[in-house]
């Protein structure tokens, strides 16, 4: 008989899924503390266990302290892209069944429309689902396929107030060690809100989570005796027999053998280790299956999202008639709820094979499943190491003719741990806090901390345009346009044999010069970039995905609501645009009120000095817009008569549009705001010491474009006086004010750029870098970035409210 917490979770789970929870799922949800590791066989419902345990503890648990201690965001990290849509669909269905779809957000962390942007609601409960590439790069402050100015925002939010669930960790490689190191760093540096991690797999050992800074968990949550004797037992004992398939000339030579073993009306799943071999086998199977009415599908990771969804939906649809053969890569190893009557797999590491076996007769719905394995020579081992295949080959030989059900495999151990070549260390994390490129324009490459060298991607999209090069106002890439492609393949596509190919071109966005810059060498390509290709360059088919051998033009996807142009260094972010005339004094008051409400909701226990600095930062964040350069740019589109009428008011926003043309290139009002705060008498703002430095840093950083380094940029306009300091369009000695700030008169201020110099000034004042480094070390990188995010969100929400209310009106 169920009582107490167990009974309540039973009710929640049953409403969500329409079936009762397994015993281990109840244990996970009702435990005093969440474990770090869950190890249960494939097909046992790990996704539902993790998501609904979090949801129960956050929304339904009777103990308010448990609800408050449970993070607002569940970050569900998957190693394969193909799993993301399936997980999102399941989570949305569960929330709908629980009548929570309006209260709990569900987001795919691949970018997205701004009005659905997860970062805008840090106070809201949400489930974030993404690949480890997208999630770990963001947690390391180098978000793939994200604007540079967005990096610290997502870094702050993903390292605070989140429960990280890392699923199918046997496939994560370097990313597994990175996830463990990040968990250790959050403990040592501190977070503003709890940010625990939960790792899950059918094949994992506690020792795999032991890194230089992260100890191995003491134990793992596993199946209980009630699971083994209850409803889950049919899955654990599902019949599936292993045999070796010997064929000549694999992969094409295996097509006829696969067709011979396919059973009409069922699904046959063929798992191949490389996309290139999968394409070859798929083409041969389609040719040989012609006239037999057997449907043949191809599934891998290198599709644009709509095509990938269509391929997955077609592959997983109910079978009928002659049945279906699906040729897939490792994308089906984890999390894909498919139950094939027949499985054919290439030799792979043991952990991968166990996952593949789990796709055969997954739910015990076939009287007997058949598993056939194909041996590979060492020269065909990549992307795996020959020694990994050697160990797996020995295990398979010992199991020839035997069952490979989860129950039969349970005592064999998890096999070799994932190979880890690079481990992110504490100094690396501290270096990554700075998002400024070096003097040569280069960034720290985090790809080595996420995937193996041969398995890192760029995101590619195709467009048509007039003229030789794309115009700066060409809309940016919509998420559905992006196709992940390994870096080395794009290098070969654009630069065969290391040279630029005649007639081919690739472009990346240069946020500093605000234009699409042509890639001129292989070295220009690095993981995480978004690359624009002309449609006529080819390289893609919707049915088969990326194929660098194809030269026929690609049909670009046209978004229903195309994104705006890419953001440049001088642009105001689109979230900032109120769409109405708003006086500067009004906007500062609105932002401070929004900040106070947000802090009271998400971090009510923040230290008093931090709260004081945050509120001051909101009050001062846009004071730099009083600078004459900003005001002239804001009023420039108006007629002379309108400009004269408006010039009596200092404005924060206009209804004219997003793009401002500053007479000083790269002008950043937030730097002027921070310098004004540092220049103001203490009796005006009431701050001193670290309070003042924190407020000034948050003011400077609230658009993500001015943070740790103060230096001039390429192409800036120089002051007429020789030797005068200048940075981001601000000149030493610029005057700002006087102005009214929420009832306080701010006198005319002189902006002093001596803080951009290294070392202390003649008056003993610390440099900007010294101030920020001291703050980073006192507050911690995760908390400091989180505070940046809170101010930024408060600013956005104030702008959104001003736009919806019409602002103050011109001349008001």
């Amino acid at each position: 008989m169920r009582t107490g917490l167990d009974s309540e979770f039973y009710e929640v789970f049953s409403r969500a899924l329409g079936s009762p929870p397994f015993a281990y799922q109840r244990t996970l949800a009702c435990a005093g503390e969440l474990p770090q590791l869950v190890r249960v066989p494939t097909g046992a419902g790990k996704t539902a266990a993790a998501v609904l345990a979090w949801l129960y503890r956050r929304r339904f648990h009777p103990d308010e302290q448990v609800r408050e201690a449970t993070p607002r965001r569940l970050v569900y990290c998957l190693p394969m892209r193909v799993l993301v849509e399936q997980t999102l669909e399941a989570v949305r269905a569960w929330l709908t069944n629980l009548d929570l779809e309006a209260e709990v957000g569900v987001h795919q962390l691949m970018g997205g429309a701004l009005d659905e942007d997860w970062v805008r609601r840090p106070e809201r409960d949400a489930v974030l689902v993404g690949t480890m590439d997208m999630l770990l790069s963001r947690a390391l402050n180098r978000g793939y396929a994200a604007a540079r100015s967005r990096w610290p925002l997502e870094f702050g939010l993903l390292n605070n107030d989140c429960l990280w669930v890392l699923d199918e960790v046997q496939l994560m490689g370097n990313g597994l060690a990175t996830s463990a190191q990040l968990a250790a760093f959050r403990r040592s540096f501190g977070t503003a809100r709890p940010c625990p991690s939960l790792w899950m797999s059918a094949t994992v050992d506690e020792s795999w989570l032991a890194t230089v800074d992260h100890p191995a968990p003491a134990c793992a949550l596993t199946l209980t005796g009630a699971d083994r004797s209850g409803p889950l037992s049919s899955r654990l004992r599902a019949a599936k027999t292993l045999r070796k398939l010997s064929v000549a000339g694999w992969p094409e030579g295996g097509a006829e053998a696969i067709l011979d073993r396919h059973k009409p009306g069922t699904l046959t799943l063929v798992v191949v280790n490389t996309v290139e071999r999968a394409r070859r086998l798929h083409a041969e199977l389609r040719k040989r299956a012609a006239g037999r009415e057997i449907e043949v599908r191809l599934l891998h990771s290198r599709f644009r999202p709509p095509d990938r969804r269509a391929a997955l939906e077609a592959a997983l649809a109910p079978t009928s008639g002659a049945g279906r053969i699906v040729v897939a890569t490792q994308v089906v190893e984890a999390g894909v709820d498919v139950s094939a009557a027949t499985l054919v797999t290439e030799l792979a590491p043991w952990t991968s094979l166990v996952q593949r076996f789990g796709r055969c007769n997954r739910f015990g719905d076939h009287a007997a499943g058949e598993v056939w394995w194909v041996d590979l020579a060492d020269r065909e081992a990549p992307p795996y190491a020959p020694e990994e295949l050697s160990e797996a080959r020995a295990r398979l030989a010992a199991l020839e003719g035997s069952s490979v059900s989860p129950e039969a495999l349970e005592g064999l151990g998890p096999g070799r741990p994932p190979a880890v070549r690079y481990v992110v260390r504490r100094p690396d994390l501290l270096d990554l806090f700075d998002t400024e490129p070096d003097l040569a324009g280069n960034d720290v490459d985090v790809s080595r901390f996420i995937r193996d060298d041969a398995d890192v991607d760029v995101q590619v999209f195709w467009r048509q345009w007039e003229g030789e090069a794309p115009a700066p106002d060409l809309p940016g890439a919509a998420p559905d346009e992006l196709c992940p492609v390994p870096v080395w393949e794009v290098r070969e596509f654009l630069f065969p044999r290391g040279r630029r190919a005649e007639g081919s071109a690739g472009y990346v966005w240069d946020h500093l010069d605000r234009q699409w810059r042509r890639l001129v060498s292989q070295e220009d390509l690095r993981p995480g970039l978004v690359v624009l290709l002309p449609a006529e360059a080819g390289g893609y088919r919707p049915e088969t995905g990326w194929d660098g051998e194809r030269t026929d033009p690609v049909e670009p996807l046209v978004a229903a609501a195309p994104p705006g142009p890419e953001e440049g260094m001088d642009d105001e972010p689109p979230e900032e645009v109120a769409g109405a005339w708003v006086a500067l004094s009004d906007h500062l008051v609105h932002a401070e009120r929004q900040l106070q409400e947000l802090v009271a909701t998400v971090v009510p226990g923040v230290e008093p000095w931090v709260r004081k600095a945050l509120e001051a930062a909101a009050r001062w964040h846009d004071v730099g817009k009083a600078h004459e350069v900003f005001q002239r740019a804001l009023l420039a589109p108006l007629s002379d008569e309108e400009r004269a009428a408006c010039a009596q008011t200092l404005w924060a926003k206009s209804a004219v549009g997003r793009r401002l043309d500053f007479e000083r290139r790269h002008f950043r009002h937030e730097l002027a705001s921070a310098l004004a705060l540092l220049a103001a008498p203490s009796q005006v703002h009431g701050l001193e010491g670290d309070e003042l430095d924190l407020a000034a840093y948050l003011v400077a950083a609230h658009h993500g474009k001015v943070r740790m380094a103060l230096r001039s940029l390429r192409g800036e306009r120089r002051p007429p006086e020789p030797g005068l300091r200048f940075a981001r369009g601000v000149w030493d000695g610029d005057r700002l004010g006087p102005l009214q700030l929420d009832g306080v008169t701010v006198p005319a201020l002189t902006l002093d750029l001596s803080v951009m110099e290294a070392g202390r000034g003649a008056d003993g004042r610390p440099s900007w870098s010294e101030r920020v480094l001291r703050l980073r070390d006192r507050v911690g990188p995760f908390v400091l970035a989180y505070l940046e995010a809170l101010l930024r969100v408060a600013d956005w929400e104030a702008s959104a409210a001003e736009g919806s209310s019409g602002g103050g009106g011109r001349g008001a």
Side-chain angles (χ1 to χ4, degrees), residues 752 754-755 760-766 771:
D752 180 3
S754 64
V755 292
R760 294 197 169 225
D763 58 357
R765 296 175 69 205
R771 294 168 191 261

Side-chain angles (χ1 to χ4, degrees), residues 5-197:
L5 299 182
D6 186 74
S7 177
E8 292 168 353
F9 176 69
Y10 188 97
E11 171 64 23
V12 170
F13 192 100
S14 299
R15 283 176 56 202
L17 267 75
S19 59
F22 299 129
Y24 89 91
Q25 294 171 327
R26 298 198 303 271
T27 300
L28 181 63
C30 301
E33 291 185 6
L34 287 174
Q36 287 186 283
L37 181 61
V38 173
R39 183 174 58 236
V40 295
T42 59
K46 293 191 300 295
T47 302
V51 172
L52 293 173
W54 166 80
L55 191 66
Y56 173 72
R57 298 171 77 92
R58 177 67 191 165
R59 306 287 302 197
F60 297 101
H61 200 285
D63 188 335
E64 183 179 356
Q65 290 185 335
V66 172
R67 297 196 303 274
E68 177 59 26
T70 302
R72 285 179 172 80
R73 290 177 293 281
L74 173 69
V75 179
Y76 205 98
C77 181
L78 292 156
M80 300 291 184
R81 297 171 189 89
V82 74
L83 308 178
V84 171
E85 286 93 350
Q86 180 175 309
T87 303
L88 285 166
E89 183 179 347
V91 172
R92 290 189 178 110
W94 299 336
L95 291 173
T96 297
N97 293 341
L98 292 169
D99 298 322
L100 288 175
E101 65 270 29
E103 298 181 41
V104 179
V106 182
H107 304 277
Q108 180 177 336
L109 266 73
M110 300 281 284
L114 289 171
D115 61 350
E116 293 294 327
D117 206 343
W118 68 275
V119 298
R120 298 196 65 154
R121 298 290 303 276
E123 79 285 1
R124 188 187 190 198
D125 292 352
V127 180
L128 316 177
V129 184
T131 61
M132 71 179 194
D133 305 71
M134 292 294 174
L135 288 165
L136 291 181
S137 66
R138 282 158 171 76
L140 291 171
N141 213 13
R142 291 297 184 276
Y144 288 177
R148 179 186 302 274
S149 61
R150 190 180 170 99
W151 291 351
L153 173 68
E154 297 185 312
F155 173 74
L157 292 177
L158 286 173
N159 286 298
N160 290 274
D161 212 1
C162 294
L163 169 61
W164 277 73
V165 174
L166 302 112
D167 200 1
E168 308 297 359
V169 299
Q170 77 282 349
L171 299 175
M172 291 181 63
N174 291 340
L176 177 57
T178 296
S179 69
Q181 285 291 95
L182 281 169
F185 296 153
R186 292 177 195 124
R187 284 198 297 269
S188 61
F189 287 123
T191 57
R193 285 272 303 162
C195 196
S197 296

Side-chain angles (χ1 to χ4, degrees), residues 719-743:
E721 298 87 345
L724 200 65
R725 300 181 188 91
F726 64 98
R728 310 297 174 97
V730 179
W731 296 351
D732 208 4
D734 278 351
R735 302 278 289 176
L736 189 149
L739 67 155
Q740 291 295 313
L741 194 60
D742 196 17

Side-chain angles (χ1 to χ4, degrees), residues 191-205:
T191 57
R193 285 272 303 162
C195 196
S197 296
L198 171 63
W199 292 269
M200 303 196 303
S201 175
T203 50
V204 62
D205 186 78

Side-chain angles (χ1 to χ4, degrees), residues 252-377:
E252 289 90 343
E256 198 61 43
I258 292 169
L259 288 167
D260 288 344
R261 285 157 179 77
H262 173 71
K263 299 179 178 65
T266 70
L267 171 67
T268 293
L269 180 62
V270 186
V271 187
V272 184
N273 297 345
T274 70
V275 174
E276 184 267 337
R277 287 204 296 271
R279 279 199 297 254
R280 287 163 51 194
L281 180 56
H282 172 258
E284 186 68 19
L285 279 167
R286 289 194 67 178
K287 182 171 66 176
R288 291 177 178 266
R292 304 193 198 187
E293 299 183 351
I294 300 174
E295 184 183 351
V296 181
R297 295 284 179 174
L298 177 65
L299 192 61
H300 57 76
S301 63
R302 300 173 198 169
F303 285 95
R304 295 182 297 200
D307 300 329
R308 186 172 65 243
R309 288 192 291 269
L312 183 62
E313 184 177 330
L316 301 185
T319 54
S320 61
R324 181 182 308 117
I325 299 175
V326 174
V327 180
T329 59
Q330 297 92 328
V331 295
V332 300
E333 279 185 20
V336 176
D337 275 333
V338 60
S339 184
T342 306
L343 172 74
V344 179
T345 174
E346 289 187 337
L347 179 65
W350 178 250
T351 53
S352 293
L353 289 173
V354 171
Q355 298 294 330
R356 297 178 190 185
F357 298 163
R359 313 305 133 186
C360 179
N361 201 12
R362 183 174 179 82
F363 308 118
D365 46 348
H366 300 286
E370 293 184 359
V371 177
W372 299 88
W373 70 280
V374 179
D375 204 355
L376 297 174

Side-chain angles (χ1 to χ4, degrees), residues 503-777:
S504 69
Y507 297 86
V508 293
W509 180 250
D510 187 322
H511 78 291
L512 190 58
D513 289 336
R514 203 178 180 280
Q515 64 180 1
W516 290 97
R517 175 173 57 82
R518 183 166 181 168
L519 297 162
V520 298
S521 71
Q522 290 188 355
E523 289 68 34
D524 285 344
L525 279 163
R526 59 175 172 78
L529 284 179
V530 175
V531 178
L532 167 62
L533 297 178
E536 59 269 21
Y540 187 87
R541 286 188 65 211
E543 298 82 11
T544 56
W546 167 264
D547 185 348
E549 299 297 318
R550 300 202 64 89
T551 58
D552 46 315
V554 178
E555 184 69 29
L557 291 179
V558 179
E566 293 284 356
E567 183 181 328
M569 173 59 76
D570 299 354
D571 292 338
E572 297 299 306
E575 301 92 336
E576 265 282 275
V577 178
W581 287 89
V582 182
L584 177 57
S585 57
D586 291 339
H587 175 66
L588 296 174
V589 170
H590 299 160
E592 184 177 3
R593 290 174 182 167
Q594 289 284 352
L595 187 281
Q596 290 169 337
E597 292 177 8
L598 188 57
V599 168
T601 301
V602 298
V603 280
V606 67
E607 293 181 73
W609 77 273
V610 173
R611 183 190 297 271
K612 183 178 179 182
L614 265 171
E615 292 178 355
R619 196 179 314 124
W620 282 77
H621 78 284
D622 272 356
V623 162
K625 289 183 175 180
H627 198 290
E628 59 184 4
V629 169
F630 187 90
Q631 290 297 308
R632 281 200 289 266
L634 201 68
L635 302 181
L638 305 181
S639 66
D640 291 344
E641 182 179 353
E642 290 176 315
R643 197 177 303 119
C646 288
Q648 305 307 309
T649 302
L650 292 173
W651 298 98
K653 317 278 181 182
S654 83
V656 174
R658 170 187 174 187
R659 177 81 177 136
L660 296 180
D661 291 317
F662 297 113
E663 60 195 52
R664 298 183 192 172
R665 191 179 182 205
H666 303 320
F667 176 81
R668 294 310 312 169
H669 70 270
E670 59 267 35
L671 175 56
S673 301
L675 294 175
L677 181 57
L678 292 176
S682 59
Q683 59 266 30
V684 173
H685 49 62
L687 303 172
E688 58 183 17
D690 283 353
E691 293 174 351
L692 177 59
D693 289 346
L694 177 56
Y697 172 75
L698 295 175
V699 166
H702 81 271
H703 286 313
K705 297 183 178 183
V706 181
R707 299 182 70 247
M708 293 191 72
L710 296 188
R711 63 172 183 248
S712 56
L713 300 178
R714 182 180 69 244
E716 278 201 47
R717 175 183 166 189
R718 292 175 174 270
E721 298 87 345
L724 200 65
R725 300 181 188 91
F726 64 98
R728 310 297 174 97
V730 179
W731 296 351
D732 208 4
D734 278 351
R735 302 278 289 176
L736 189 149
L739 67 155
Q740 291 295 313
L741 194 60
D742 196 17
V744 176
T745 299
V746 177
L749 303 171
T750 300
L751 306 187
D752 180 3
L753 268 172
S754 64
V755 292
M756 69 186 290
E757 303 289 350
R760 294 197 169 225
D763 58 357
R765 296 175 69 205
S767 68
W768 181 261
S769 295
E770 181 181 340
R771 294 168 191 261
V772 177
L773 289 172
R774 187 173 63 218
L775 280 173
R776 184 200 66 186
D777 295 341

